[in-house]
Amino acid sequence: MKWAEISLDFFVLMYVFMPIQSEDGSVEKSSTGHLEEILLNASHLVTFLDLSQKYISLVDTNKFRLFPKLKSLNLSHNLIEELDFEVFRFNTALEQLDLSHNKLSKISCSSLHFIKNVKKLNLSYTNSSVVYLCKEITVLSNLEYLGLSAERIQKQDFLNLAQRQLQCVFLGLENLREYKSGSIQLLNTSKLHVHLSKYINNQFLFYDALATATTLEISEIECSFCDNYTSLLSMINKNSRVRTLILSNTTMPWKAMREIFLSVWRSSVEHFYVNMFTLINEFTYIQTDFSDTSLKSLVIDHIITKVFYFTPPHPLNTFSEMLLENFTFSNADITHLFCPPRPSIFRFLNLSKNRITDEIFQQCDNLTALELLNLCSNKLEKLSKISSMTSNMKSLKHLDLSQNILQYEQGEICNWADTLVILNLSENRLMNEAFACLPINIQVLDLTRNQITIIPKTLKDLTFLRELNLSFNRLRNIPDCHLLGRSLRSLRVDGNFINSPSVAFYQNCHNITKISAGHNPYQCDCELRGFRHLEHVTPGRLAGWPDSYRCEYPEDFKGLLLKDFYLSEISCNIYMLLAIVLSSVVIALLLIIFSCLYFDLPWYIRMLYQWIRTKHRVRNAQDLLKDKCFHAFVSYCEEDSMWVRNTLIPNLERGDGTIKICYHERHFVPGKAIVDNIMDSIEKSFKSIFVLSPNFVQSEWCHYELYFAQHALFGRNYDNLILILLNPIPDYLIPKKFQKLKTIMKHRTYLEWPKEKTKHGLFWATLRDSIHVNLPTNEDDV
Ligand SMILES: *[C@@H]1O[C@H](CO)[C@@H](O)[C@H](O)[C@H]1NC(C)=O
Ligand SMILES: *[C@@H]1O[C@H](CO)[C@@H](O)[C@H](O)[C@H]1NC(C)=O
Ligand SMILES: *[C@@H]1O[C@H](CO)[C@@H](O)[C@H](O)[C@H]1NC(C)=O
Ligand SMILES: *[C@@H]1O[C@H](CO)[C@@H](O)[C@H](O)[C@H]1NC(C)=O
Ligand SMILES: *[C@@H]1O[C@H](CO)[C@@H](O)[C@H](O)[C@H]1NC(C)=O
Ligand SMILES: *[C@@H]1O[C@H](CO)[C@@H](O)[C@H](O)[C@H]1NC(C)=O
Ligand SMILES: *[C@@H]1O[C@H](CO)[C@@H](O)[C@H](O)[C@H]1NC(C)=O
Ligand SMILES: *[C@@H]1O[C@H](CO)[C@@H](O)[C@H](O)[C@H]1NC(C)=O
Ligand SMILES: *[C@@H]1O[C@H](CO)[C@@H](O)[C@H](O)[C@H]1NC(C)=O
Ligand SMILES: *[C@@H]1O[C@H](CO)[C@@H](O)[C@H](O)[C@H]1NC(C)=O
Ligand SMILES: *[C@@H]1O[C@H](CO)[C@@H](O)[C@H](O)[C@H]1NC(C)=O
Ligand SMILES: *[C@@H]1O[C@H](CO)[C@@H](O)[C@H](O)[C@H]1NC(C)=O
């Protein structure tokens, strides 16, 4: 008991931490985090839980309350003995419950209403000696499928279900020992599926089965001398209720199966399926009259032959002689099927998944009614040979040759049926030459997964071609529309090597209403913009847009959806780009010219250059500031003194004491020799400012001052000279003996006093910056 509880918990946990199938079918992986919370969060999404074969013997409420969205629960192949449906009280969404293969001996009928929404309930193989059917079964108003099994079936067992219309009832009757005639006839179900065993031999059961449902499936018949089965199945007749008969997983000799065929041939059955038939003991041809039947289709799917020796005539002739419209003989490893010896009424022949070779139906003139021939997944090799096979099939419309190893070599002659309109050549080994071997009236052509690299001009001759599928070939470009027939409406070229679809394609192909071109390695550049345009102009024309259209190159755009890929008009149009570059150059030039003319730009530039230079110098000059007590000494001539006192000094000093200016009217010590005074002032000042004007060059004193300052400049190797050009000085005004001044004027850039008021701000700022340093604070110098 304890072990079982643990094991259920363990598997619930396991389940939650494994990929989980949520409602929309997507698989979610839980991440790490708080364990319980994840468990809870994840379990809330679970809709499908497979707990089969987990040795569970006990189930309790708490386990399933974690899964409120649970729709399908599989508890099959466990060890559960007792079940109270109350454990599902929180699983109101539960629709499918598989309890088969347990040891259930007790089921609580009174709790059935806890699963009242269940549609499929499987209670087969649950070790119940009687069919467990309680009155309460009527609570399950949505029930469609019911799986049961029993050892004894008595009439009243199904009484409670008599009023309920079901879709399918499964009866596992391997262990049936007792059956009361008429019991299962009480069931009202469209399909009845009966599992039998080797030893079942109850004609009443068979009789009832044939009379109960319109679809009857009998599975797991295994016999080697099958007289009992064949005689039981021979009860089937024109008055039986059965319209569809399915024999699945049957093992018997051909002789017995042939007898069943004969019984079915003359009965009410319209569709006969033989799925998974294991042929044992013998396989011989016996001439049989397979005409006159109400059978419309016969499907023989998956035959395993354990017989390897035949005496002629070949037993496969049996199938060629059958007279019915739909015949499927697939998954049977046959290499051949014979041409019917008489005109046949086969309309649909499905011979897929065999090992049929090119010899099939060659020169066969008795398949004139055949409309569809499916030879998918066989061993066909030569396309030309197959084409001549069709030449006698006067009604053939649809031929499926997919999944073979077909090839075509240039020069081989093809001869297709004129009636052929649908041809499936997908998954073969065809190359470009194959276009020379196509039916002229073809409308739908599937060439998926071949080795085609280019579409030839001859395709245009297929004037009726409506749909062309060239997905997963090796095309490099979408073909031009004038190469395609004029009837073409749908074109698929997914998964090729198309990187730059041609412009002509989306300009000329108005007639094509559906194009599928996803999963190609698109080169996202200017040319591709036209392709995007296609979707803009006619939305819905590109199938799979936008998800399967992605950039492959360049590397930067790899994986980007074409929908989101954007390049501006400019970057793609060279003329536009040129025009824009040129016009911006012109505009810039115009702007510069305008600024020079109107704002005197050169002056500003020079000023700015000065300012930067002085900033730089000031920084370098910090260590030379010892024994300086003025920021600047100003030298000017008498005529300019008004400007100096009223404009220069106030603007530099600003009355806040940060800048100290030395000039002779204020600081020259009376009595001291004038030359000493000048020397002193220059020595004590960080800079010397000279206000240059025509008057200045005339004044002798000023020349002295300039001479000293210059001396200091050269002697100490730093730049302490600032020249302000107050008024322009014509060259001729400078006397010849002042060669030095001339040189200075030439080499040293000076500050020009601007006449416009707007420029004064910058002028003062530059000047103040050039003299503004932190002087050592010794106040005793004044
Ligand atoms: C669990 O779900 C809640 C709300 O739905 C959410 O806030 C919380 O982050 C989830 N926890 C984990 C671990 O995913
Ligand atoms: C439950 O599991 C068993 C065994 O794994 C399987 O045969 C059966 O089909 C499952 N039932 C459903 C409803 O999926
Ligand atoms: C079936 O259930 C009965 C009790 O009803 C029990 O005696 C028997 O052993 C069970 N059989 C199997 C195979 O579990
Ligand atoms: C019920 O159980 C039987 C036997 O395991 C199985 O063949 C059948 O598919 C099951 N049906 C459903 C709906 O699970
Ligand atoms: C089955 O049920 C449907 C609807 O309840 C009813 O029309 C039909 O006659 C019933 N068939 C049989 C055989 O009782
Ligand atoms: C066939 O049926 C007979 C009686 O009807 C019975 O004696 C015999 O055992 C059955 N054979 C098989 C293999 O079930
Ligand atoms: C087919 O039937 C045999 C018994 O006749 C059984 O052993 C086998 O498992 C069945 N196979 C399938 C796929 O149901
Ligand atoms: C016969 O086969 C064709 C093609 O598979 C199908 O369309 C048609 O419905 C079938 N007819 C019958 C009576 O099964
Ligand atoms: C086709 O049927 C005729 C009889 O109608 C028969 O003579 C002929 O041999 C058959 N053709 C083939 C290739 O079997
Ligand atoms: C042919 O048979 C195969 C295998 O049974 C089946 O998958 C396919 O749908 C059938 N095709 C047609 C056209 O009936
Ligand atoms: C051609 O056959 C393939 C696989 O055999 C199938 O997927 C495809 O739908 C078929 N094409 C047409 C047009 O029927
Ligand atoms: C488009 O289709 C019409 C009508 O079928 C046809 O007349 C016309 O030639 C086609 N145009 C092109 C370019 O193929």
Side-chain angles (χ1 to χ4, degrees), residues 255-267:
K255 193 166 155 278
M257 186 52 100
R258 192 186 137 269
E259 269 177 52
I260 293 176
F261 268 55
L262 271 176
S263 307
V264 170
W265 226 256
R266 298 185 171 80
S267 73

Side-chain angles (χ1 to χ4, degrees), residues 224-449:
S224 35
F225 304 100
C226 306
D227 296 355
N228 287 0
Y229 285 108
T230 54
S231 61
L232 287 174
L233 271 164
S234 69
M235 286 194 292
I236 196 165
N237 59 35
K238 287 262 185 258
N239 300 320
S240 301
R241 212 181 145 81
V242 182
R243 294 288 174 275
T244 304
L245 179 66
I246 304 163
L247 293 184
S248 49
N249 195 10
T250 312
T251 305
M252 56 174 64
W254 175 242
K255 193 166 155 278
M257 186 52 100
R258 192 186 137 269
E259 269 177 52
I260 293 176
F261 268 55
L262 271 176
S263 307
V264 170
W265 226 256
R266 298 185 171 80
S267 73
S268 59
V269 174
E270 292 175 357
H271 306 283
F272 184 26
Y273 294 84
V274 179
N275 298 328
M276 257 192 94
F277 168 40
T278 308
L279 193 62
I280 51 166
N281 294 1
E282 52 81 30
F283 190 22
T284 47
Y285 175 80
I286 303 165
Q287 188 152 23
T288 320
D289 179 15
F290 280 119
S291 59
D292 187 27
T293 178
S294 49
L295 203 61
K296 289 188 179 126
S297 69
L298 168 64
V299 176
I300 302 174
D301 190 10
H302 202 171
I303 299 188
I304 301 156
T305 313
K306 301 252 168 100
V307 183
F308 304 103
Y309 179 75
F310 321 110
T311 48
H314 201 288
L316 278 178
N317 277 310
T318 316
F319 301 103
S320 310
E321 288 166 16
M322 288 178 171
L323 285 175
L324 82 167
E325 289 189 356
N326 276 21
F327 179 46
T328 296
F329 197 91
S330 68
N331 242 312
D333 273 352
I334 54 167
T335 56
H336 198 69
L337 198 67
F338 294 93
C339 180
R342 281 162 293 139
S344 143
I345 62 163
F346 284 142
R347 282 177 67 202
F348 305 99
L349 258 188
N350 187 346
L351 304 176
S352 58
K353 297 188 194 146
N354 284 299
R355 302 160 65 79
I356 290 171
T357 63
D358 290 353
E359 298 308 317
I360 184 88
F361 298 143
Q362 292 292 337
Q363 274 106 41
C364 176
D365 47 4
N366 289 336
L367 283 169
T368 47
L370 195 60
E371 289 173 25
L372 184 151
L373 176 57
N374 188 344
L375 289 168
C376 165
S377 191
N378 276 290
K379 298 270 183 263
L380 305 176
E381 287 172 22
K382 268 188 177 231
L383 189 60
S384 53
K385 194 142 190 205
I386 300 305
S387 82
S388 62
M389 168 198 83
T390 66
S391 60
N392 288 321
M393 300 174 172
K394 302 293 181 215
S395 311
L396 190 66
K397 288 193 189 116
H398 184 163
L399 179 60
D400 192 339
L401 300 173
S402 57
Q403 299 175 23
N404 279 284
I405 41 176
L406 283 168
Q407 279 176 312
Y408 173 77
E409 268 161 45
Q410 210 162 6
E412 289 174 343
I413 292 164
C414 292
N415 191 7
W416 294 97
D418 290 341
T419 46
L420 196 57
V421 288
I422 303 175
L423 179 59
N424 196 340
L425 289 170
S426 65
E427 296 178 62
N428 278 290
R429 298 184 186 166
L430 297 168
M431 303 205 240
N432 299 342
E433 294 78 32
F435 284 102
C437 180
L438 290 175
I440 189 75
N441 294 323
I442 195 77
Q443 290 176 14
V444 178
L445 179 60
D446 194 338
L447 278 165
T448 310
R449 292 185 199 278

Side-chain angles (χ1 to χ4, degrees), residues 531-545:
F531 193 70
R532 268 187 38 185
H533 191 61
L534 189 68
E535 180 57 24
H536 273 293
V537 176
T538 45
R541 205 166 156 201
L542 278 179
W545 183 271

